[in-house]
Amino acid sequence: MKINVLKNYKELSSTVADIVETQIKKHPLSKLCLPTGSTPLGMYDELVNKKLDWKSVITFNLDVYLMNITRPQSYQSYMRKNLFDRTNIYPDHYHFPFRPFSAFEDKIKGSKGIDLCILGIGTNGHIAFNEPGSSFKSRTRVVNLSEQTIKDNSRFFDSVDDVPTQAITMGLETIMESKKIILMANGDHKLNILNVAMNGEVTEDVPASILQNHKNVKVYYSD
Ligand code: PGA
């Protein structure tokens, strides 16, 4: 698979923000699937600055920690702070994985599913919180976070012991049903796993490698 290498983080952020802008302008009723973490922060800033009309857009987040959602580290807090509270999206139009998971999945499937899904990749090859070994047939569910993910994400918490050990994530099959997928990765530390996932064996040991089986994926990287 082609990895589009961009000049720097700014260009990575603006390239993906431009794709989201085109999607929303062309299809105001778009359904988007959105990531959290460090990588998309610049993209969210760019999107806010574009002052798009979000009133008909519907979003689904890829994953949430199992934790008190009022804490600043929760992905609910992250999304409000970095995107939702800075746009005119309706609060009942954005969704985080909820129980029962079949109802969450039905909500995604309703009116033709996800149009555009933006993903990051973990240093262990995870997409959303589908850790190595996740079934390619997996759907929304509770997962245990891997040691690597807990270590990687500890920078957002007071200490590694403060990182939640469980999360709810969309499954790999759920993600693969999206019509278009963009994978964004930033930093040298992601380059090796990105190459393995995009050009190595398609295996459940490297969850992101499933993207090789999708017809409409674009991959963007900056160091
Ligand atoms: P990051 O996380 O953007 O914080 O590196 C990506 C991921 O774990 O999917």
Side-chain angles (χ1 to χ4, degrees), residues 129-138 141 143 172 204-205 207:
F129 276 137
N130 293 284
E131 302 285 28
S134 295
S135 166
F136 282 170
K137 294 263 163 232
S138 56
R141 67 203 186 286
V143 290
L172 292 170
E204 290 177 349
D205 293 337

Side-chain angles (χ1 to χ4, degrees), residues 40-201:
L41 285 170
M43 186 255 304
Y44 288 141
D45 275 341
E46 297 265 348
L47 276 176
V48 168
N49 291 337
K50 287 176 186 291
K51 302 203 183 313
L52 301 172
D53 186 359
W54 288 77
K55 74 173 180 298
S56 304
V57 177
I58 293 183
T59 70
F60 295 89
N61 266 82
L62 286 164
D63 46 19
V64 285
Y65 289 121
L66 278 179
M67 67 181 289
N68 179 344
I69 65 171
T70 63
R71 288 185 64 194
Q73 295 95 342
S74 78
Y75 286 166
Q76 289 87 344
S77 300
Y78 170 108
M79 288 305 299
R80 286 195 194 99
K81 176 171 172 228
N82 294 303
L83 185 71
F84 298 149
D85 287 354
R86 303 162 76 196
T87 69
N88 67 338
I89 193 166
Y90 287 122
D92 58 350
H93 279 187
Y94 56 78
H95 305 89
F96 298 93
F98 61 83
R99 295 171 201 264
F101 302 141
S102 57
F104 176 69
E105 292 267 351
D106 285 347
K107 195 132 208 150
I108 294 175
K109 278 191 206 131
S111 62
K112 295 199 246 152
I114 303 283
D115 299 294
L116 176 63
C117 179
I118 315 289
L119 297 174
I121 183 169
T123 56
N124 63 359
H126 74 205
I127 46 176
F129 276 137
N130 293 284
E131 302 285 28
S134 295
S135 166
F136 282 170
K137 294 263 163 232
S138 56
R139 306 205 67 94
T140 305
R141 67 203 186 286
V142 173
V143 290
N144 295 322
L145 299 180
S146 71
E147 257 180 60
Q148 183 65 50
T149 297
I150 291 173
K151 193 167 146 248
D152 287 349
N153 290 5
S154 63
R155 67 189 190 280
F156 297 109
F157 292 83
D158 293 339
S159 77
V160 73
D161 297 330
D162 200 29
V163 184
T165 56
Q166 289 193 306
I168 306 173
T169 185
M170 275 188 202
L172 292 170
E173 194 170 70
T174 320
I175 291 168
M176 287 291 281
E177 287 166 0
S178 307
K179 294 187 197 90
K180 282 176 274 182
I181 297 178
I182 305 287
L183 180 71
M184 54 190 314
N186 175 239
D188 297 354
H189 62 300
K190 295 283 179 76
L191 192 53
N192 181 51
I193 190 65
L194 196 59
N195 274 319
V196 168
M198 297 305 121
N199 297 309
E201 188 194 345

